[in-house]
Amino acid sequence: MGKIIDGKLISKAVKDDVARETAELKKSGITPGLAVIIVGENPASQIYVRNKQRACEEVGFESFKYELPEQTSQEELLELVNKLNKDDKVNGILCQLPLPGHIDESVVINNILPKKDVDAFHPENVGKIMIGDYSFLPCTPAGVMELIASTGVDIKGKECVVVGRSNIVGKPMAMLLLHKSGTVTICHSKTKDLKSECLRADILVAAVGVRKLITGDMVKEGAVLIDVGMNRDENGKLCGDIDFESCKDKASYITPVPGGVGPMTIAMLMRNTLTAAKEQNGIGK
Ligand code: GUN
């Protein structure tokens, strides 16, 4: 049985670190502030937003929650974003995705000031990640990198396979692995032979949102398996994109769902918000 990577424990260490730095920052009168916007009543989004607010409390940030009705117009949402852009108490702005269909997500993202874009979704921040010169990393890929680092496995020269090509996870994930000198393959729904691609992986990151897509026969003995998926199985139980039962004995390290990548995403959001607060106050970079 491979070792379980404990995302709860590792995320706590990151949050403890952020809390310590925040306490220091407060001595000079600076309290990091995060604004979280949620439009509509997507139940999963409501849970994510609640967890983000709770994390803000834990690390000592101020949090500002904006719950807008489903029928909010794009103009109204942009007005709020612009107001938050100008508010000095707000260092980070996060607009929870997905947004209702009548709102163009990219327009909203493009209107968040890059220095307050703690999701790192703005094209300016995305471009910086490509070059390798960034302040913020998108929270989920950054969290995955911390989890891999916790294993002590060196990414340099390793075969890294990312399954999924989303803007939020797959694409930036591949870039971060490349920055660490991994040999990176990105697989997606049109990949001809997913099994043979996955079988080459020393490090496999699954981020497609298809429950238990990766099964034991698709992974190499000793691989590091990171599961970004968050799905419900046939019994309504939470499960990932990796079939834990058939993969756990082949992996050297494996993340559970829940309790793997999920808690890391929020911890990295806290770190990004702290970085934003420091930079906006002329501290650090
Ligand atoms: N929806 C799912 N994941 C995320 C995320 O990391 N940030 C935002 N803003 N929305 C999401």
Side-chain angles (χ1 to χ4, degrees):
M1 161 99 187
K3 291 200 183 78
I4 307 276
I5 306 177
D6 187 343
K8 274 194 196 159
L9 197 73
I10 299 162
S11 71
K12 185 174 182 307
V14 173
K15 284 190 287 182
D16 285 350
D17 221 39
V18 172
R20 233 184 340 265
E21 274 199 61
T22 301
E24 275 304 307
L25 207 56
K26 282 182 169 176
K27 288 181 192 162
S28 34
I30 301 162
T31 301
L34 175 67
V36 180
I37 306 169
I38 175 167
V39 186
E41 296 190 349
N42 181 317
S45 291
Q46 284 173 331
I47 295 170
Y48 291 142
V49 165
R50 204 175 315 136
N51 289 341
K52 286 169 186 176
Q53 274 201 298
R54 192 174 306 146
C56 282
E57 279 168 33
E58 280 171 38
V59 299
F61 293 174
E62 246 194 292
S63 73
F64 310 92
K65 185 175 173 185
Y66 295 86
E67 286 179 289
L68 307 181
E70 180 84 20
Q71 65 274 18
T72 301
S73 70
Q74 184 164 303
E75 286 67 36
E76 285 170 312
L77 180 55
L78 290 177
E79 249 174 63
L80 173 60
V81 167
N82 287 329
K83 186 178 88 140
L84 298 172
N85 277 340
K86 292 186 194 119
D87 187 341
D88 287 341
K89 288 177 75 174
V90 174
N91 303 112
I93 303 170
L94 180 144
C95 186
Q96 187 67 30
L97 304 179
L99 289 168
H102 64 279
I103 299 177
D104 185 338
E105 287 181 354
S106 65
V107 172
V108 177
I109 290 167
N110 290 356
N111 272 275
I112 296 174
L113 273 183
K115 67 178 184 180
K116 296 193 177 188
D117 168 40
V118 284
D119 265 324
F121 291 168
H122 189 285
E124 184 176 315
N125 288 324
V126 174
K128 284 183 171 180
I129 290 158
M130 194 83 175
I131 298 164
D133 165 31
Y134 41 74
S135 301
F136 311 127
L137 289 177
C139 303
T140 299
V144 170
M145 293 305 280
E146 292 281 335
L147 294 179
I148 297 172
S150 79
T151 66
V153 170
D154 187 4
I155 295 167
K156 195 192 308 176
K158 295 285 190 317
E159 291 287 338
C160 303
V161 175
V162 178
V163 187
R165 55 171 158 180
S166 70
N167 289 333
I168 295 185
V169 184
K171 287 184 208 167
M173 189 71 249
M175 206 47 63
L176 299 192
L177 291 164
L178 182 61
H179 288 327
K180 292 284 181 196
S181 302
T183 301
V184 183
T185 304
I186 307 176
C187 298
H188 46 78
S189 56
K190 305 292 183 290
T191 296
K192 280 206 185 110
D193 188 351
L194 182 63
K195 180 176 170 178
S196 73
E197 300 291 348
C198 290
L199 271 170
R200 284 192 296 113
D202 301 309
I203 298 170
L204 179 76
V205 181
V208 262
V210 177
R211 68 185 188 198
K212 302 183 186 179
L213 175 70
I214 310 295
T215 45
D217 57 319
M218 298 168 74
V219 303
K220 183 159 100 178
E221 198 73 45
V224 176
L225 303 181
I226 308 283
D227 195 344
V228 181
M230 183 64 86
N231 317 296
R232 297 267 171 198
D233 72 7
E234 53 285 1
N235 304 314
K237 216 174 127 226
L238 279 179
C239 72
D241 294 348
I242 295 176
D243 179 34
F244 189 85
E245 278 313 306
S246 65
C247 291
K248 67 180 195 304
D249 292 329
K250 283 184 119 179
S252 57
Y253 293 90
I254 184 167
T255 62
V257 175
V261 175
M264 291 307 293
T265 298
I266 296 184
M268 302 320 282
L269 174 68
M270 299 299 110
R271 183 174 279 170
N272 280 352
T273 305
L274 174 66
T275 302
K278 282 164 63 178
E279 289 193 358
Q280 285 161 41
N281 286 282
I283 303 165
K285 218 178 169 187

